Amino acid sequence: MRDAYIVGAGQTAFGSFPEESYRSLFATAFDRAMASADALSPEDIDEAVVGTLGVGGRQIGLSGPAVTEHVGLSVPTTRVENACAASGYAVRNAVQAVKSGMADVVLAGGYEVMTDASGDATKYWLGVSGETEWERLTGTTFAGTYAQMADAYLHEYDATVDDLSRAAVKNHANGAKNPHAHLAFECSLEDASEGTVVADPLTLYHCCPTSDGAAAVVVASEDVVDDADFDAARVAGVGAASDRVGLFERDTYTSIPASERAAEAAYEMADRNPGDVDLAEVHDCFAIAELLAYEDLGFCGRGEAPELLREGATDPDGDLPVNVSGGLKSKGHPIGATGAGQVVELWKQLTGRAGDRQVADANLALAHNVGGSGGAAVVTLLEGDQ
């Protein structure tokens, strides 16, 4: 199969934008992606794949064609809904289309408007990312599900609430340097550990915000890249996996097996291993999710994630910087845009466009996007031109 490349990427700021619609947000991300892939025009796009959950009832109808029509594209459009992994899967589908030869240029992205709904309504829509009958309808919230995972982890391993807080402190410090971040401010370890309890042991600072936003990337074939001058990052590998949607149905609370299997598939396609990764954006919807990701992705052994944080290994100047964008915790989590937004950040890093967040000498970068509490996961490996 042909190689596929990310040749352009763009996103909106993530935050609360009451004056915006999902169409206008996507248009901004699309315009920025196309401006960065300036050797291409909209007429070069063969098809589009877009992701969204549809918070507030927008899951009904043709919101995919609605956004592509709004930006002037008359191309086949597929909408992906895989909870929080929607646009991570959209990128994967775009890569598949290019690698297979069915398309030369594919637009992939995602969008979500979350802040126009009430807190109770948003909590409901977040809840449907998990198992409905036995979790959501019996009162379990999204935070409550991850709190169960955090509680199990703290009991099974040498870990404390402060270790969860270290992930939050790191990501807030990173997000403070990101002009697109929803919560672009720093916090202290004390702030995070002693914050308002949302679902014990998780405090407010251990939980990502609900955000509005959109992100888009342009995926092109090796033939297109050979014919023009692009700032391109090669898609070295991509892997995806599914699992039981309900946490109670799984064998473990201290791992997300779908993440582990998705990573294995991506590493195999790229002929790489976890030790080759220079930079990662992982799905930290809650602080415990970042610790689990370190282990599921093979960055350390089981129970060793707290040590990576204590040693500063995942700080921007550490051996493996993680979530230099601020992650979901600080950058924000507009559900349908999150996975594509991770790829936008990595493309910027690999092409030297990350500004104050720039990580020096990164060549292999990993994006890790999870749906719900682990019912779906997708891992993408991008390779720079260094």
Side-chain angles (χ1 to χ4, degrees):
M1 290 190 292
R2 303 184 299 178
D3 272 338
Y5 292 81
I6 307 297
V7 298
Q11 67 166 81
T12 65
F14 289 177
S16 177
F17 308 113
E19 73 283 2
E20 300 278 7
S21 68
Y22 70 91
R23 290 180 174 89
S24 64
L25 288 167
F26 187 79
T28 298
F30 171 76
D31 288 345
R32 291 174 178 173
M34 293 306 299
S36 66
D38 56 4
L40 295 175
S41 68
E43 290 73 24
D44 294 313
I45 295 173
D46 298 315
E47 61 178 278
V49 189
V50 293
T52 184
L53 176 67
V55 170
R58 282 175 287 265
Q59 83 288 1
I60 299 172
L62 297 169
S63 67
V67 296
T68 52
E69 178 275 334
H70 183 69
V71 299
L73 295 179
S74 296
V75 297
T77 299
T78 302
R79 176 197 159 188
V80 178
E81 189 281 290
N82 237 1
C84 316
S87 60
Y89 268 81
V91 172
R92 176 178 180 263
N93 289 358
V95 170
Q96 288 176 320
V98 168
K99 289 180 75 67
S100 70
M102 289 189 68
D104 285 316
V105 181
V106 181
L107 177 70
Y111 47 89
E112 208 75 64
V113 173
M114 303 178 70
T115 63
D116 64 342
S118 69
D120 285 343
T122 302
K123 183 168 65 175
Y124 170 89
W125 287 107
L126 286 170
V128 301
S129 296
E131 201 279 336
T132 299
E133 184 177 8
W134 297 104
E135 288 183 346
R136 180 177 62 78
L137 292 181
T138 56
T140 302
T141 63
F142 202 33
T145 300
Y146 274 90
Q148 293 175 63
M149 299 163 82
D151 187 63
Y153 191 93
L154 297 185
H155 279 87
E156 186 167 340
Y157 298 116
D158 179 23
T160 68
V161 170
D162 278 354
D163 293 313
L164 302 177
S165 298
R166 287 185 177 92
V169 170
K170 170 182 67 68
N171 293 342
H172 270 283
N174 293 341
K177 299 177 181 179
N178 187 348
H180 289 140
H182 189 168
L183 304 179
F185 56 83
E186 297 188 26
C187 71
S188 69
L189 190 67
E190 182 180 13
D191 289 335
S193 291
E194 298 183 8
T196 302
V197 174
V198 174
D200 190 46
L202 300 179
T203 74
L204 182 64
Y205 281 90
H206 299 148
C207 308
C208 71
T210 56
S211 311
D212 306 330
V217 301
V218 182
V219 185
S221 70
E222 60 187 47
D223 299 328
V224 172
V225 171
D226 288 343
D227 288 341
D229 184 22
F230 292 101
D231 285 336
R234 187 174 75 93
V235 181
V238 62
S242 299
D243 199 1
R244 299 275 188 169
V245 174
L247 179 62
F248 71 94
E249 298 176 290
R250 299 185 211 146
D251 294 331
T252 177
Y253 278 31
T254 57
S255 170
I256 295 180
S259 294
E260 187 173 15
R261 295 196 300 271
E264 289 171 352
Y267 292 137
E268 182 178 0
M269 179 183 289
D271 193 23
R272 297 296 194 97
N273 61 64
D276 295 324
V277 176
D278 300 310
L279 173 73
E281 288 286 309
V282 307
H283 197 93
D284 63 319
C285 49
F286 299 91
I288 183 59
E290 180 160 334
L291 275 70
L292 299 185
Y294 293 175
E295 299 173 12
D296 292 332
L297 299 171
F299 298 154
C300 63
R302 295 294 171 192
E304 296 177 359
E307 195 60 32
L308 290 186
L309 287 161
R310 295 168 194 168
E311 294 175 349
T314 56
D315 289 351
D317 59 353
D319 292 337
L320 176 60
V322 174
N323 286 345
V324 291
S325 70
L328 283 62
K329 178 63 200 74
S330 176
K331 182 184 178 183
H333 185 27
I335 289 178
T338 290
Q342 292 176 323
V343 175
V344 172
E345 175 69 21
L346 296 185
W347 177 80
K348 288 182 177 180
Q349 289 285 347
L350 293 174
T351 59
R353 297 171 179 239
D356 292 342
R357 305 185 310 284
Q358 187 66 51
V359 174
D361 302 323
N363 183 52
L364 188 70
L366 181 150
H368 161 252
N369 189 202
V370 174
S373 61
V378 56
V379 171
T380 305
L381 289 167
L382 299 184
E383 187 175 54
D385 192 26
Q386 297 182 14

